[in-house]
């Protein structure tokens, strides 16, 4: 039986999101389907799980946010429409709002993209330096206690690169192909989401 390849699945799903974005003419705001986006995001949780038990709380929080958008997709079909609904209800920044959760998912995308970029340009088997660099995406938004816990998790309970690749059923060469693909697609999807926030004057630093 073909082994599960979560890294390949996430790379393919984000490539597919880019294909959808490319179908919109330049200068026009793309209308990405919320279901496609949230399903692609759900494919990132196996990776988070494989980073180590210390990231269990991160995974739980991430999955809850993804599920919120999966649920929202049953009644709202497009990502920009979901944001505009929250603007109209004046709940963009409210804890637990769809738009707030979307911003956290976008940040997770950025973090994983940077993690992969750093893994590809770092020698050796340790993920500590790549993970520390990737965490800079989130750390400004986390309080002291969470930052402290994440830093401890990275230095004491983080998987090694070979453990991660084994769990994802990848080797050095195959993983590089998937990481490279994810890095390019995630950058495009991330810019698209940033633009949705910026064009509505919502800002992205909260
Ligand atoms: C490679 C390893 C890098 C380090 C991983 C860092 C993980 C960050 C863990 C944060 C612990 C999560 C606990 C819950 C935090 C919530 O308070 C916040 C705010 O939520 P809000 O109030 O706005 O609803 N949640 C977050 O900041 C989202 C955290 C998502 C973490 C995803 C982890 C992804 C790990 C990927 C590794 C590259």
């Amino acid at each position: 039986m073909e082994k599960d390849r979560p890294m390949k699945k996430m790379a393919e799903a984000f490539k597919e999101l880019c294909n959808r974005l490319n179908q919109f003419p330049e200068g026009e705001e793309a209308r990405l389907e919320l279901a496609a986006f949230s399903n692609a995001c759900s494919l990132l949780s196996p990776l988070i799980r494989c980073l180590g038990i210390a990231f269990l709380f991160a995974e739980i929080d991430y999955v809850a946010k993804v599920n919120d958008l999966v649920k929202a997709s049953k009644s709202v079909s497009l990502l920009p429409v979901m944001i505009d609904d929250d603007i109209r209800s004046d709940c963009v920044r409210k804890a637990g709002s769809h738009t707030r959760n979307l911003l956290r998912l976008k940040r997770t995308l950025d973090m994983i993209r940077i993690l992969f970029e750093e893994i590809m340009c770092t020698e050796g088997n340790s993920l500590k330096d790549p993970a520390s660099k990737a965490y800079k995406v989130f750390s400004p938004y986390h309080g002291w206690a969470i930052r402290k816990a994440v830093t401890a998790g990275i230095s004491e309970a983080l998987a090694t690169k070979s453990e991660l690749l084994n769990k994802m059923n990848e080797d050095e060469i195959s993983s590089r192909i998937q990481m490279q693909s994810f890095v390019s697609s995630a950058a495009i999807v991330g810019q698209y989401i940033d633009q949705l926030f910026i064009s509505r004057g919502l800002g992205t630093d909260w």
Side-chain angles (χ1 to χ4, degrees):
M1 204 180 80
E2 181 79 4
K3 282 187 182 163
D4 210 24
R5 290 182 63 191
M7 208 181 249
K8 182 160 185 261
K9 273 193 187 153
M10 60 190 257
E12 286 170 351
F14 278 86
K15 178 85 187 83
E16 163 62 17
L17 292 184
C18 287
N19 293 341
R20 288 172 191 242
L21 290 176
N22 278 334
Q23 285 164 9
F24 294 87
E26 259 197 68
E28 186 182 303
E29 183 175 88
R31 297 188 309 278
L32 188 63
E33 292 87 351
L34 184 52
F37 174 76
S38 46
N39 287 330
C41 287
S42 71
L43 299 175
L44 304 187
S45 62
L47 173 80
I48 302 172
R49 193 171 322 146
C50 290
L51 288 171
I53 189 74
F55 302 101
L56 183 64
F57 287 107
E59 196 213 342
I60 290 172
D61 190 66
Y62 178 78
V63 169
K65 286 166 166 55
V66 172
N67 286 344
D68 174 63
L69 294 204
V70 170
K71 232 172 109 191
S73 74
K74 312 288 181 216
S75 54
V76 187
S77 67
L78 302 172
L79 209 53
V81 173
M82 180 193 85
I83 299 177
D84 290 333
D85 285 350
D86 278 351
I87 293 174
R88 228 170 291 120
S89 315
D90 198 21
C91 69
V92 168
R93 294 200 183 201
K94 226 180 89 190
S97 89
H98 302 318
T99 303
R100 177 168 164 145
N101 288 339
L102 171 63
L103 183 57
R104 276 52 178 163
L105 297 190
K106 205 268 333 182
R107 231 165 247 159
T108 304
L109 272 187
D110 287 344
M111 186 157 72
I112 295 176
R113 176 173 55 79
I114 294 169
L115 178 71
F116 285 177
E117 285 171 350
E118 293 296 328
I119 290 176
M120 287 189 285
C121 68
T122 303
E123 302 263 332
N125 197 25
S126 172
L127 294 181
K128 287 180 192 178
D129 283 347
S132 306
K133 286 185 178 135
Y135 181 57
K136 289 194 176 122
V137 168
F138 261 115
S139 58
Y141 306 97
H142 284 158
W144 179 85
I146 291 185
R147 280 209 305 272
K148 190 98 180 147
V150 172
T151 311
I154 290 175
S155 73
E156 279 151 47
L158 187 64
T160 61
K161 182 162 97 176
S162 52
E163 285 167 352
L164 182 68
L165 297 188
N166 273 334
K167 286 183 186 157
M168 305 253 115
N169 293 315
E170 301 288 344
D171 58 37
E172 194 70 44
I173 294 165
S174 68
S175 69
R176 197 166 269 270
I177 296 169
Q178 308 312 330
M179 286 195 269
Q180 193 65 66
S181 162
F182 181 83
V183 164
S184 351
S185 306
I188 291 167
V189 174
Q191 282 161 17
Y192 166 66
I193 297 173
D194 276 340
Q195 199 47 42
L196 292 176
F197 279 76
I198 292 162
S199 63
R200 288 163 175 76
L202 301 176
T204 55
D205 57 348
W206 49 276

